[in-house]
Amino acid sequence: IAQGNIEAGKAKSATCVACHGEDGNSPSDLYPKIAGQHESYLEKQLIQFKNGERSDPIMMGMVAGLSDQDMKDLAAYFSAQPATPETVSPEIAVAGRDLYMGGDKERGIPACTACHGPRGNGLELAKFPKISNQHPAYLKAQLEKFRSQARENDPNGMMGDISAKLTDADIELLSKYISAL
Ligand code: HEM
Ligand code: HEM
């Protein structure tokens, strides 16, 4: 993994930028930001859209014609772009902190920070993606997809198990909180 060429990726990115933005910071919250995400995670998502392990009608069409090298180059390019931060109200920043940083023992929810880190930067070596600086709407949609098993291909089903224990209110709060970590 991580043998992509940034310049080659930029040259191949023309179709992607229509939705994900010139530098991977999609202006619309209909589409996720992919700027600054770990290279190996981006490559893995593209491979999984291609082999059908992660299903999304739009992205499955996008990757159909990409070679292995195209996916590596695109991952290298978007990973190298800085992500633009989101902001949330101080109330959300305080309310989300307990659950994100400490989990909920009684309900069996692990602390998100254990894998995604205190700033939401994840840990590339362990395959834990960066989740901060992302549109809240996308974070919410992914947590709901994990919960309904519409997205269940994550390694060892980690997010499936965790999201099953989250209420709608938890997901609403965490999505906003994480976006501005
Ligand atoms: C998701 C890359 C083109 C719409 C993603 C993800 C990646 C990606 C890596 C997963 C993000 C994550 O897991 O955090 C690319 C690349 C493209 C491309 C490299 C060009 C080859 C497009 C275009 C559109 C689009 C043109 C819109 C027409 C979406 C949507 C999602 C997504 C809606 C979210 C899917 C979901 O909810 O699971 N893209 N994309 N992408 N992309 Fe693209
Ligand atoms: C992916 C949120 C706890 C491991 C994700 C994503 C979100 C998320 C939004 C999707 C990122 C994207 O599509 O770009 C959360 C929240 C947590 C939590 C809110 C706490 C309630 C954890 C924990 C672990 C973990 C404790 C490790 C045991 C992972 C992994 C992925 C992921 C491996 C990538 C899945 C894949 O490759 O498809 N998480 N997470 N998460 N998370 Fe978590």
Side-chain angles (χ1 to χ4, degrees):
I1 299 212
Q3 295 144 334
N5 179 297
I6 295 175
E7 284 308 311
K10 185 177 166 69
K12 294 170 183 175
S13 69
T15 47
C16 318
V17 305
C19 296
H20 293 287
E22 198 64 50
D23 59 354
N25 284 293
S26 61
S28 160
D29 72 2
L30 290 175
Y31 309 113
K33 295 188 199 176
I34 53 175
Q37 180 58 272
H38 306 152
E39 185 174 344
S40 55
Y41 175 80
L42 290 177
E43 184 192 3
K44 177 170 113 28
Q45 301 313 306
L46 295 174
I47 291 170
Q48 290 184 319
F49 284 127
K50 190 164 177 181
N51 68 21
E53 281 178 7
R54 179 171 172 184
S55 56
D56 176 73
I58 299 179
M59 281 308 300
M60 290 168 96
M62 289 300 144
V63 297
L66 299 181
S67 69
D68 291 353
Q69 192 61 45
D70 292 340
M71 294 192 274
K72 287 184 199 295
D73 292 342
L74 286 162
Y77 171 65
F78 285 112
S79 177
Q81 309 309 309
T84 57
E86 298 286 309
T87 49
V88 292
S89 68
E91 289 77 23
I92 297 283
V94 171
R97 194 170 54 201
D98 285 351
L99 188 52
Y100 185 89
M101 296 295 179
D104 187 329
K105 236 184 182 162
E106 232 161 66
R107 294 193 286 148
I109 303 169
C112 316
T113 189
C115 297
H116 295 288
R119 303 294 311 278
N121 285 323
L123 183 65
E124 183 161 22
L125 272 177
K127 300 187 178 163
F128 301 141
K130 177 175 162 64
I131 52 177
S132 55
N133 296 336
Q134 183 58 270
H135 297 297
Y138 173 77
L139 296 170
K140 179 169 179 270
Q142 297 311 306
L143 289 168
E144 288 171 351
K145 283 187 186 189
F146 284 129
R147 190 172 62 176
S148 66
Q149 294 179 5
R151 179 175 168 182
E152 56 173 343
N153 58 284
D154 62 305
N156 312 319
M158 284 182 240
M159 286 308 302
D161 291 347
I162 294 164
S163 58
K165 294 168 182 158
L166 300 176
T167 64
D168 289 346
D170 293 334
I171 288 180
E172 187 76 32
L173 177 62
L174 284 167
S175 302
K176 290 183 185 152
Y177 174 79
I178 290 166
S179 73
L181 264 180

